[in-house]
Amino acid sequence: MTESGSTSSITQPADLLEAARPLIELAIAEDIGPGDATSEAVLPADLFLHGRITAKGAGVVAGLPVAAAVFSRVDPNLRFVPHIQDGDSVAPGDLVAEVMGPGRGMLAAERIALNFLQHLSGIATFTRTFVDAVAGTRATILDTRKTHPGYRVLEKYAVRMGGGQNHRMSLHDMMLVKDNHIEAAGSITAAVERAHTAYPELPVEVEVKDLDELREVLGMAGVAGMETRPTGMAGAVDRVMLDNMDLEGMRAAVDLTAGRVGLEASGGVTLARVAAIAAAGVDYISIGALTHSAPVLDLSMLVSAPTGETGFDESVRSTATELAARIREAKAALGPALVILGHHYQRDDVIQFADFRGDSLKLARDAAACRDAQYIVFCGVHFMAETAAILAQPGQTVLLPDLEAGCYLAEMADLADVERAWTQLGTVMDVEREVVPVTYVNSAAALKAFCGQHGGVVCTSSNAQAVLAWALAQRPRVLFFPDQHLGRNTAKRAGIPLEEMALWDPQRSFGGHAAEALRHARVFLWRGWCDVHQRFLPEHVTAWRERRPGIRVMVHPECPMEVVDLADEAGSTAYIIRRVEESPPGTGWAIGTEFNLVNRLKNEHPEQFITSLRLSSGEAWGSGHGTPHCVGGLEGESEPSYCSTMNAITPEKLARVVEGLVQGEVINPVTVPPDVARWARVALERMLEVSA
Ligand code: SF4
């Protein structure tokens, strides 16, 4: 639970898109099916359109990443440019987003994208009205589990965008002892005791219907005088729900409780009544209507006829051109005070502004070498900007154009879980003498610091082999996190048999192993993965070889071992680029890594045949618009492997950050606490020495 009592932390964009993906597939199947008959009949196949999504009512927008994913799923050539961010307010007529690209795909996707956007914006708007109504009181507005089946993560995300907070996500992340449980157990005390005995780690909320029941809760161990008690402590009640109490009852409950435990008002909460409920002094007000009865926010999309040589509306072209001019102007104004770093996975319209481009290792070195720049703008994801901030000189500032651009893989290990693993391993072996912690650079700064403090090191996909060899020369075993695939592929290549590797599941005690199995292992592999690379499958390799004999398959070592084993070559991003650059004309490549990089290599090397391993037909590229048009495909596998968080960095966001610097405003700085930075630097410098 968070301090405020919210139990949800899984509504960041990567998780949002993960939850949205099956819903998008369902919506496309039910709405488009075999095709959009009207658009296919009326629109020429090569017609490009410019769509403008505007608000028809006032409200709060939520769901822009989902709308973007719908357009890109229906046709990867469609470009979605948001003009505001989720959580922003709009008035009637305000421009929300633009869409550019093939008309048929745009019109086929329109209704689905707007359905998501209107529904989620409606929830955000409705939530905001309640949040505004209780402004100035201590009450926090919460949602409930009354969400539409399958939509929970999306709808709870929308509540957050409206300024509310999430109650529990599901039945397994928090216990709520209600009247039926109490009836079955015989008393509140008995029910709470059973709850704590069965799941001592879970927070407990108890529903009471009157003051007598509240007195029983307050009389329990762990409540009286325990306002600072740790969440989930045995015997404690973390919150009390006042079920359908009238205002007088609520006021009496607040007096009786005197702040010893959080109080949540629930049941019959309307907009007309919510301010009075908040004034009664409760801490939380939960409202099912936020998600089950919110009216939609009316939005519409209008398209304009194509003009100009390219088929794009001139205004669209000028938007992109103007943005590019503004970024170049800001760069010129800042001169050597500004350096822009760009990861290879960035989109073309962003990476064109990078002074240095590279993979994680090269950019880490570039960041350390940028001694004269006052500002380092990192066009990449959050952990990369953190790494740059750790290696930065005193007085340098690192900025990330979108602070929400995280890394799905990096989020799969956190410090608490790694410390728990270290402690548990410590009961089986002498960890400080026997185990070297190795973190992939795709990890939070706190994990790099952990490695620094415990004799460990950072690695990238470029130097993982050298780092593993170094680590095993220090101590006999390695704890490798967070990417199991990179760890397994690297260890296997180093000659370590699979039987001497143990997959550490952070959700399970001792990673899910018996002590004897742990003692037998030389490499402990954290159970994490990159969603972009894990999508490459052995059948993709087989299919390409059947369709194009002689094609060489080259994959990134974040791909599963079965794919790496089948591939002709495996290597880091830098390796993949180098191999293409040094290959003769006519070479055929099916490459298993992030799509923007593959597409850029294809455009830069027309003398070779280059395709994504996930696409089924290399001949089916679109022309001249920087993204491929994929037709047909391995069944259900035609979606390109974009890194959605890398793609969150747009020219608009980059322009905002660099123009802010010109005006003396530092937008989206990335900082690392000094003690974390100090130890993280130790681990990073060990890596740079090992791979020098
Ligand atoms: S491609 Fe995978 S590992 Fe790389 S930033 Fe995206 S999610 Fe993270």
Side-chain angles (χ1 to χ4, degrees), residues 345 381 383 407-409 442 530 532-533 558 643 645-646:
Y345 293 171
V381 292
F383 77 81
C407 165
Y408 182 82
L409 167 61
N442 298 37
C530 161
V532 174
H533 289 93
E558 285 175 24
C643 175
T645 49
M646 284 275 187

Side-chain angles (χ1 to χ4, degrees), residues 348 598-606 610 626-627:
D348 287 348
V598 178
N599 199 43
R600 191 171 305 123
L601 287 171
K602 172 189 164 48
N603 290 335
E604 289 172 356
H605 295 277
I610 296 173
T627 51

Side-chain angles (χ1 to χ4, degrees), residues 379-398:
C379 295
V381 292
H382 195 267
F383 77 81
M384 297 176 182
E386 267 192 345
T387 304
I390 291 163
L391 296 172
Q393 302 297 313
Q396 284 185 320
T397 304
V398 177

Side-chain angles (χ1 to χ4, degrees), residues 254-337:
V254 169
D255 288 345
L256 189 62
T257 305
R260 284 175 288 169
V261 67
L263 292 180
E264 174 186 331
S266 179
V269 181
T270 62
L271 200 49
R273 203 167 162 253
V274 71
I277 294 173
V282 296
D283 304 282
Y284 308 99
I285 303 173
S286 54
I287 307 164
L290 296 183
T291 48
H292 69 59
S293 298
V296 299
L297 176 64
D298 202 1
L299 303 164
S300 71
M301 186 178 90
L302 287 177
V303 297
S304 53
T307 59
E309 285 172 18
T310 62
F312 278 97
D313 187 310
E314 287 305 318
S315 65
V316 178
R317 238 179 0 166
S318 66
T319 304
T321 310
E322 277 166 25
L323 265 176
R326 280 166 47 195
I327 293 169
R328 293 213 166 84
E329 203 175 306
K331 283 189 74 177
L334 291 161

Side-chain angles (χ1 to χ4, degrees), residues 228-239:
T228 57
R229 111 196 80 66
T231 296
M233 193 190 94
V237 169
D238 298 274
R239 195 189 301 167

